Amino acid sequence: MSERRKSYPFDQIETKWQAIWEQRQLFHPPNPGEKHFDPAKPKFYILDMFPYPSGAGLHVGHPEGYTATDIVARYKRMRGFNVLHPMGWDAFGLPAEQYAIKTGEHPATTTRANVAKFKTQLKRIGFSYDWQREINTTDPRYYKWTQWIFLQIYNSWFNPDTNKAEPISTYRGADPDSVRLAYVADFPVNWCPELGTVLANEEVVDGKSEVGGFPVVRRPMRQWMLRITAYAERLLNELDGLDWPEGIKLLQRNWIGRSEGAEIDFPVAGGDDPGLTVSARDYKIRVFTTRPDTLYGATYMVLAPEHSLIDLIVSEEQWPAVREYRERAARKSDLERTELAKEKTGVFTGAHAINPVNNERIPIWVADYVLPGYGTGAIMGVPAHDERDLAFARKFNLQIREVVRPLGDEDPIGFVGEGIAINSPVIEGLPSREAIRKITEWIEQHDLGKGAINYKLRDWLFSRQRYWGEPFPIIWENGKHRALDDEELPVVSPPLEEYKPTGTGEPPLARAREWVRYSDKALRETNTMPQWAGSCWYYLRFCDPENDQRFVGEEAERYWMGGVNDEARMANDEEMTKPKARKAYEEIRHSKINSSFVIRHSSFPAKPGGVDLYVGGTEHAVLHLLYARFWHKVLFDLGYVSKPEPFQRLVNQGIILGEDNQKMSKSRENIVNPDDVIDQYGADAFRCYEMFMGPLEQTKPWSMRGVEGVARFLARVWRLFMTENQGGDWELSARIKDVDPTGAETKITHATTKKVTEDIESLSFNTAISQMMIFVNAFINAETLPLSAMRRFLILLNPFAPHLTSELWVKLNAKVRDNAGDITDQKWLDYDERLLVEDEVEIVIQVNGKVRHRMKMSIQATDEEAKAAALANPKIQKFTAGKTIRKIVVVPKKLVNIVV
């Protein structure tokens, strides 16, 4: 859009106001104890999922959620809240390291450049972030505390008796390392030789790395693990108190995957095969099953290819086939291995197990559809009543025995539902649920196993063989690991000449020999933490980012995360003095009550989460949220934070597609840069269009024509207030006068206030904008524009179009001079429901059933008054003149039909 074609000078207005906001630091909320802090103001903490600053910069899909939170932040400030709305950078990541490998440039250099680019783009959109609180996960001042939190986890264990984390010093067992929440284990991992690093499951696509598309294999490696499984039950149960979309809660529940059943031991049978390296008679294979009532139907066993027992039981004859099969399985992803539709593969070990309920000798197979991470890495094959087992048995001609008879006429082979136990002496004839209970008791009585709860959730693989990540604050001495002292933090990675991994499995940091050598006897840990680490707690650092004594100040955390509000709720109870409330709050906070944290006193239930509104993409629906909740719960158990959950309300914005209805990507050449949109239409038009496209949570395609339409709306707003004089300069419209609005104008003004207020609260921004368009249409041709209505409208539009409304507000103030103050200082206005009551209704007038006219009547009009008004109407009289009125039908408040 050329300078001459610009419908209003948004380019001048927007840069002007962005400079003013930055100079005045209008969006910095003071912490408790700081200058200008007002304890009477309620807090509102609104948070975006902070971005990874890639070299490509923003595309128009990124700011969708940021725009939504900015509207809410500006609105809440006008409602009198102390609003925390920060932004930072999740800046560790593989792309920067890959670039360093190619160029030799330190990842920090490219990261700084990328952050600067992102920050410039965000500022152009006019977001009201508190940039004084900006954080960067790669800043040693930040990751000092990431390392410190890791050490709190490392120095803790989960006490099942108290159902919470406690200092490792309280553990009374002989081997504290065996129960630490952070521990070391040999674990099968996704190893990418080309990248030289371990990849998480979500970083592997079709057996190749998500970055670069390189082959990935499974291999055991020494890894740091976090014992998140200890929190499985709490992570599951405490979802209930959160205001999250049910779909996201379901994803979390499914990922945790709680199932009840039994663990059963199958002894490995002794054999005559001289190829057995050890006697197999003392070995047992433990399996977990949710259907122990099908135990009599177990006709074979399957071990995951990674199972440690395979090497001990495989026969000499079968060893070559087993070895080859395991190598092939190592090249597959978990998704490929467990896909229902794929053809089953497997190989016989040459060994057998004993079914403990009937002493039958059953073959032991190796198959990749069994994963090492779920259950015990071994299953009992019950082909008659499991789809995968049935396909496997049919492929390899294994015995199929029916042990559950359906209640209906379903085919018993392949039946997976509940029925009646058959061919099962201990539980013969019992319904499935009763059979499960009885067989579990029988197993426990005979010391063959026990009832158990299992989770699909696995412990968190927490180490990476990369350079660009937080170093572990751990050293190794005589084969033992130990923590560094707090005074030695942060542990900073040394610069390297070569960032590429060694290729042997050693991380890049192993190249820094002097750095690795901590002392004559001790070496530093050379793995680094995953990118998830910094994002597990960043919301806490935003509360107090300059604190160099603590990861977050206690008072700041209690204020912004809401712990102080819980205490205040209790103190407001007439039965409790403030000291008494404080004591009660602390007792609850440090008690064993961890499920759905509720202060059960009087009428003051507390919300479990701290951040009031958290907005981000669904791609983080499981792992980031789960990991952050885990870290937070450990910190809560140890008394470092005041709430058991980090995020109270969660909203996921939808994806913005390209104009071709495809996901935006470089390869499709459909990426839209927000800078280009702002250059042509302005930041306010960009913001409003992002919200006008449709409901926030929906996926929707971008349209430049749509941007143009919203830009026209803002131009009409400008022209509503401003006129262009003969010299081409803009001046305030003479139509704006300090007069009382008419009844109709008052109604549309209060209706718009009600609609915009309710829609912001419900995040229905598209319909709020629609209502403001209706308001403009109602006034655009008016001879006089009431000052009060125009000011009210600017306040309503301000969260959506802050630059335009700030400029128009100043223009109004310059004329009126009534010390109204800046628009950011204004209070959000209430509406009067009484003014919204309709006092007139439109009545349709028909003659012989045909619509001839419409007229307005009082809503209180009687049927007789409606008849009289219809007959007296000149436009109706021409249809009734000289004719006999046979009948008049009235539908109250809707219709009058005159029959002639």
Side-chain angles (χ1 to χ4, degrees), residues 51-58 88-97 99-100 105-122 134 136 468:
Y52 172 74
S54 67
L58 294 172
W89 317 103
D90 189 13
F92 278 123
L94 192 55
E97 182 155 344
Y99 187 77
E105 189 171 35
H106 196 285
T109 304
T110 54
T111 298
R112 277 195 297 271
N114 294 346
V115 165
K117 183 175 184 178
F118 262 64
K119 188 173 180 179
T120 298
Q121 287 184 295
L122 291 178
E134 178 183 6
N136 185 322
W468 195 228

Side-chain angles (χ1 to χ4, degrees), residues 218 303-307 310-331 346-350 365-368:
R218 299 278 287 180
L303 305 181
E306 299 85 357
H307 201 290
I310 293 174
D311 292 332
L312 302 176
I313 66 172
V314 64
S315 68
E316 183 176 3
E317 180 183 20
Q318 290 298 109
W319 174 246
V322 171
R323 180 179 58 201
E324 180 187 356
Y325 184 82
R326 294 171 88 180
E327 290 172 355
R328 279 190 278 121
R331 293 191 287 271
V347 61
F348 179 45
T349 63
W365 285 69
V366 176
D368 61 11

